[in-house]
Amino acid sequence: GENVEQHPSTLSVQEGDSAVIKCTYSDSASNYFPWYKQELGKRPQLIIDIRSNVGEKKDQRIAVTLNKTAKHFSLHITETQPEDSAVYFCAATPNNNDMRFGAGTRLTVKP
Amino acid sequence: DVKVTQSSRYLVKRTGEKVFLECVQDMDHENMFWYRQDPGLGLRLIYFSYDVKMKEKGDIPEGYSVSREKKERFSLILESASTNQTSMYLCASSQGSGSFYEQYFGPGTRLTVT
């Protein structure tokens, strides 16, 4: 089955710096790669996603890149703010109906 | 707004008890999912369902079963609760028959088995 690995498990940055979280997946059939953000005590929510026919997608301060050949994708957050502090999960979809998540990255943005 | 609700936020049960976790969504979504969330392990898929009365095993189905008698409701059953099932349980739903759809999560149920 699909196996998603996510690094790093924790990340601490100064406010205003950039943060990068990386994920790899194993199943070459995966074709949809969402990123979810979970703030403390809250439910995960989708922040950005990318499909396999696209190499990069950007939404304001966040961007995601995908390298299908290498089977890895990354989340980039620029100009980080304290409210970006949360756990971030990457995911990959090996078939039509289900999704496999990475173990999560706890991002702390220090003011 | 999509709303996914779960029957309890916190639950304490004893070893050996039968436990029911209920999830309801109000957006007529075809797909529903149950995950457990443990520190350092992320969200692990227990079971999912893409239609009423249909179910598929995820990565960690042992010790769990599910029921989907109505489209809006997906239940997770722990037949005989054990301490290693102490965890946060998250339900999610998504529309459509494909995977290119956002999953909407419920608030979670923190289950403690003593």
Side-chain angles (χ1 to χ4, degrees):
Chain A
E2 175 65 279
N3 182 44
V4 179
E5 294 193 357
Q6 183 172 346
H7 300 280
S9 56
T10 60
L11 180 59
S12 182
V13 300
Q14 286 295 135
E15 183 177 358
D17 287 352
S18 294
V20 180
I21 302 170
K22 298 182 179 181
C23 290
T24 61
Y25 62 99
S26 60
D27 192 333
S28 56
S30 286
N31 53 12
Y32 174 62
F33 307 92
W35 287 86
Y36 284 78
K37 176 184 180 183
Q38 186 178 30
E39 296 176 8
L40 189 62
K42 297 191 176 180
R43 66 192 78 188
Q45 290 191 299
L46 179 72
I47 55 170
I48 195 168
D49 56 17
I50 192 166
R51 301 182 185 185
S52 60
N53 57 349
V54 175
E56 184 172 356
K57 184 177 178 180
K58 191 171 181 181
D59 182 5
Q60 299 182 343
R61 293 186 300 108
I62 59 173
V64 59
T65 58
L66 170 65
N67 183 328
K68 281 219 80 178
T69 304
K71 289 192 252 181
H72 66 71
F73 56 113
S74 301
L75 178 72
H76 305 253
I77 306 174
T78 58
E79 300 171 23
T80 53
Q81 300 166 3
E83 52 265 39
D84 294 329
S85 296
V87 178
Y88 292 81
F89 294 99
C90 62
T93 51
N95 56 49
N96 273 346
N97 290 310
D98 63 328
M99 192 176 289
R100 295 295 189 277
F101 286 85
T105 296
R106 182 174 298 280
L107 174 63
T108 303
V109 180
K110 296 185 238 180
Chain B
D1 265 358
V2 176
K3 199 164 186 180
V4 181
T5 57
Q6 295 182 228
S7 49
S8 306
R9 290 300 303 270
Y10 300 94
L11 208 54
V12 180
K13 294 292 182 180
R14 294 198 179 275
T15 301
E17 279 192 85
K18 191 167 186 176
V19 181
F20 293 87
L21 303 181
E22 303 282 336
C23 175
V24 178
Q25 49 92 6
D26 66 356
M27 286 301 291
D28 202 35
H29 282 175
E30 282 81 3
N31 304 320
M32 297 189 75
F33 309 83
W34 275 107
Y35 297 91
R36 65 176 281 177
Q37 182 175 16
D38 300 288
L41 297 177
L43 299 166
R44 291 183 292 167
L45 183 64
I46 305 172
Y47 268 97
F48 66 100
S49 167
Y50 53 88
D51 201 354
V52 175
K53 297 192 185 297
M54 303 299 289
K55 61 184 180 184
E56 295 283 346
K57 291 181 181 179
D59 295 327
I60 51 165
E62 297 77 18
Y64 304 94
S65 62
V66 290
S67 172
R68 192 165 181 203
E69 296 296 319
K70 293 185 178 180
K71 191 175 186 179
E72 67 270 19
R73 188 180 298 268
F74 193 34
S75 302
L76 180 70
I77 304 153
L78 286 67
E79 296 289 343
S80 177
S82 63
T83 55
N84 62 12
Q85 293 178 310
T86 291
S87 187
M88 171 69 84
Y89 289 87
L90 287 166
C91 172
S93 71
S94 69
Q95 69 179 62
S97 59
S99 60
F100 290 179
Y101 295 104
E102 177 179 357
Q103 288 196 10
Y104 294 87
F105 284 85
T109 296
R110 185 166 294 282
L111 173 68
T112 302
V113 182
T114 61

